[in-house]
Amino acid sequence: MTEGLNNPDIPIPDELAGSIAITTLDKIYNWGRRSSIWPMMFGLACCAIEMIATAASRYDLSRFGMEVMRPSPRQADLMIVSGTVTKKMIPVIVRLYNQMPEPKYVLAMGACASGGGPFKEGYNVVAGVDKFIPVDVYTPGCPPTPQALLHGLITLQKKIDKQSILKVNWYRKEAIPAIPIPILGPDLIDPRDYEKIRNLPPVQEESTAEA
Amino acid sequence: MTENVEVPKELDATIQSMDNRFHDIVTLDDRKSYTGYLVPVENLIDFATSIRDDLGYDYLSSVTGVDYFPEEKMEVVYHAYKTSGGGALVFKVQIPREKPEVPSLISVFPGSDFQEREAWDLLGIRFSGHPNLTRILMWEGFEGHPLRKDWKEPFFEEEKKPYKNRWPEGGVYRIEDEVPMGKNVKYPLGFDPQKWTPEEQTTFKEDMDSEAGDNGSNGSAMHTDQIVVNLGPQHPSTHGVFRMVARLDGETVVDLYPEMGYLHRNHEKIGERNTYIMNMPYTDRLDYISSMSNNLGYALAVESLMGIKPPERTEYIRVMMVELTRIVSHLWSIGFLLNDLGAFFTPALYAINERELILDIFEATAGSRMMCNYLRFGGISRDLPDGILETVRELVNERLPRKIDELDTYLTENEILRSRCIGVGVLSKEDAIAYSAAGPVLRASGVSYDVRRADPYSIYERFEFDVVVRYNGDVYDRYLVRMEEIRQSLRILHQVVRDIPEGEIQTGKALYQVRVPAGEAYGRVENPKGELGFYVVSNGKPNPWRYHIRAPSFINLTALGKMCKGEKVADVVAILGSIDIVLGETDR
């Protein structure tokens, strides 16, 4: 990275070489952001244990500037969804996501957060956190090894590198709408689905049983 | 424990010697391969009081329900033990399915509190006389009781696995494409979400009511308001997604309710659709820090139903893995107790360092660091790889004892640790037994009860080790018990790596589809967190009819409110840390 900063394509006079760095705003902006991603200290299930192991000395997350885990969503850049997302928990997760300031990223760690995993069929399980909040990186595994999580985080860094300050949505004038918080009713209710739920075919029970 | 299959003769004698009044009403459960006694509903409380006071069965380990759907009845199964050791006294109540109502045993065994609420939540069995019979794992207002056999989840495909469309033909489709809206939800007919009003949060209800009343007075001259503080489910010190609602008077906790279910992953419902072997990897994900010992509990339960025993070498390997797991779990627990006390992450780093070395052994042997899925019925999935035994020898003979001493030097006499822990969160011996606390929580309260000794399983009766007991029942003693148990585990491991024989690793042929005769079994092991029990009912089919987990983390929480009452709010996290819960097991 620094090499790229010191050797741009633009000619620099010899006497200034080494003391002047020319780069694009995007590069320096993204370099700063991707080198200090603060994850939210937020463990859901088994994967949280591997997340802690990744933060510990053998795998050492701090090599990537990510060791500053913040318990408050207000100070966090990255939500690592580390485990099974249940219906009882999803309102809290969405609320936490809404409380994170932009720019914010979500990494779905493990099979459960990505798509329900081994517990997908369960009555209290949300089949993947992406049903409610946008996910940037999916890390497979059950649980992903610390190496896999690191790979996921490096993938996120690459993604950040590609963003442009002119196009990112958090500098636009219009506010980014918050995600409506699901409600715990007779079953989980997504406020975006009100219309669909009202118009459900009355034979729902039978059609499910035959499927 | 595994002897559950045959009717214990001496138990029968104890019942005979009991007060005459139960002779005619209590009947032996004479279904094939079932044990225990059937007690009429109206005599349940009398009977429970009598076995506790007259026969010494003072420890109610497990309460669960079974839905015998074809016979139109429900059954509540109780497993009681003596804290002096020995086998179970199983007693059951049968009730009609349309109106399942059983008197609550909370007045006799307060430890039945959460377990009864769970049975109400998941099976719809009403426990009359229970002071707070609300849902515990699902939320209030959820439609239906999911563990009933006629209740189908939205992603329901077939009654039993393997699903016909997947095996043997191998057709694949996404269940999302088959259900309305493509989501894992279902609603009552004609449900209108916008006309629906949420149920009141019961945890808060009482607080709201009392706040309206004369709650301002705390009896002292200065009138202060009590406030309700919510901790979690997203909180750095709740060890996962656990929530506590505390009522505070100043900094003192007046009342505290644990609230769980945020990680309720439906182990039991999924487990009853799975075949027997399919449940093995799911047990890994119960207490995900000690997967090997979870495997053992389940394997023991099913093996006792099948009537097989693993070969000698396997027994040794199992004990080796389970004791290594215990070290992992206790190290983790000690590290994170220090986290909760404010020594953020540094002590945990020392503990995690050693844990990684043990995980390397698991990875080399079972193929996975955490989710080992290593045990099989009558065996293990594969033998130890070359050279791993030397690694274990080096670790348990050289490195770990030194490292444990090091941790001990840094922590045990530490001024801050002592002043934060001694005398905090006291649980008396009587309360610990009454609340069915298990594991280090029970032993720190002066009860010398370790399933490995009290009711030996596997080959534990061969090994020399001490049951660690401390007598003050506070946070510090729980810490000391864990520290000492690591040393005792190392002592067992010394003997294991010395004596481990060569030989077969599997009794009979390793099968994907095991034949399990009809009957019931309760397999229990001393997990690092406490007594882990698996209650399995088979009807001879390839899938278990009932698969219930007695989770130590869950039941130990029954006493949390009691321990926290009168303590400062800052100590609540330390007390919770000293119970050492794992949410995967608490919520299942």
Side-chain angles (χ1 to χ4, degrees), chain A residues 50 58 71 84 86-89 118 120-125 142 184-188 193 198 202 208, chain B residues 139 143 154 161 176 183-184 186-187 189 192 194 196 234 241 260 262 264-266 282 285 360 369:
Chain A
E50 285 297 56
R58 188 191 260 191
T84 315
T86 61
K87 290 180 187 170
K88 200 168 173 179
M89 193 63 195
K120 180 177 168 183
E121 66 201 271
Y123 49 86
N124 190 27
V125 174
C142 189
L184 296 175
D187 206 325
L188 189 72
D193 284 346
R198 246 194 307 272
T208 330
Chain B
W139 61 89
E143 181 85 0
K161 284 182 192 168
E176 279 92 337
K183 283 190 172 175
N184 190 6
K186 72 172 187 186
Y187 306 98
L189 284 185
D192 186 343
Q194 270 160 317
W196 178 83
Q234 190 262 336
V241 281
M260 52 202 99
Y262 294 96
H264 178 48
R265 303 193 275 196
N266 330 127
Y282 281 91
R285 287 155 181 83
D360 285 347
R369 285 158 51 86

Side-chain angles (χ1 to χ4, degrees), chain A residues 40-50 52-53 55-59 70-73 83-89 92 96 112 115 118-127 131-132 142-143 145-147 183-190 192-198 200-205 207-211, chain B residues 122 136-139 141-143 146-147 151-157 161 163 173 175-176 178-189 191-194 196 233-234 236 240-241 259-267 269-270 273 282 285 288-289 332 336 344-345 349 352-353 355-357 359-360 363 369-371:
Chain A
M40 185 157 69
M41 189 191 281
F42 170 56
L44 283 177
C46 331
C47 289
I49 306 295
E50 285 297 56
I52 295 165
S57 32
R58 188 191 260 191
Y59 300 99
R70 307 314 297 184
S72 162
T84 315
V85 180
T86 61
K87 290 180 187 170
K88 200 168 173 179
M89 193 63 195
V92 183
L96 286 170
C112 292
F119 299 100
K120 180 177 168 183
E121 66 201 271
Y123 49 86
N124 190 27
V125 174
V126 175
K131 302 281 182 296
F132 289 90
C142 189
T145 56
Q147 294 94 325
I183 301 160
L184 296 175
D187 206 325
L188 189 72
I189 307 169
D190 188 342
R192 296 172 292 193
D193 284 346
Y194 276 161
E195 206 47 45
K196 275 194 221 158
I197 294 171
R198 246 194 307 272
L200 273 182
V203 284
Q204 189 195 0
E205 189 80 16
S207 72
T208 330
E210 266 151 44
Chain B
L122 302 182
I136 186 163
L137 295 177
M138 301 303 286
W139 61 89
F142 181 74
E143 181 85 0
L147 275 185
W151 193 93
K152 307 250 187 318
E153 56 270 54
F155 273 179
F156 173 79
E157 290 180 58
K161 284 182 192 168
Y163 296 147
Y173 63 83
I175 183 71
E176 279 92 337
E178 308 289 325
V179 298
M181 291 167 54
K183 283 190 172 175
N184 190 6
V185 285
K186 72 172 187 186
Y187 306 98
L189 284 185
F191 174 70
D192 186 343
Q194 270 160 317
W196 178 83
Q234 190 262 336
V241 281
E259 163 90 36
M260 52 202 99
Y262 294 96
L263 193 57
H264 178 48
R265 303 193 275 196
N266 330 127
H267 270 271
K269 186 79 176 177
I270 296 175
R273 299 222 189 288
Y282 281 91
R285 287 155 181 83
Y288 33 73
I289 298 174
W332 190 269
F336 279 81
F344 187 70
F345 222 41
L349 282 177
I352 293 171
N353 231 359
R355 173 180 181 265
E356 287 288 340
L357 298 175
L359 292 197
D360 285 347
E363 193 171 10
R369 285 158 51 86
M370 277 173 69
M371 305 307 177

Side-chain angles (χ1 to χ4, degrees), chain B residues 443-454:
Chain B
R443 288 191 287 277
S445 293
V447 185
S448 165
Y449 188 79
D450 185 319
V451 184
R452 292 176 292 174
R453 263 291 143 72

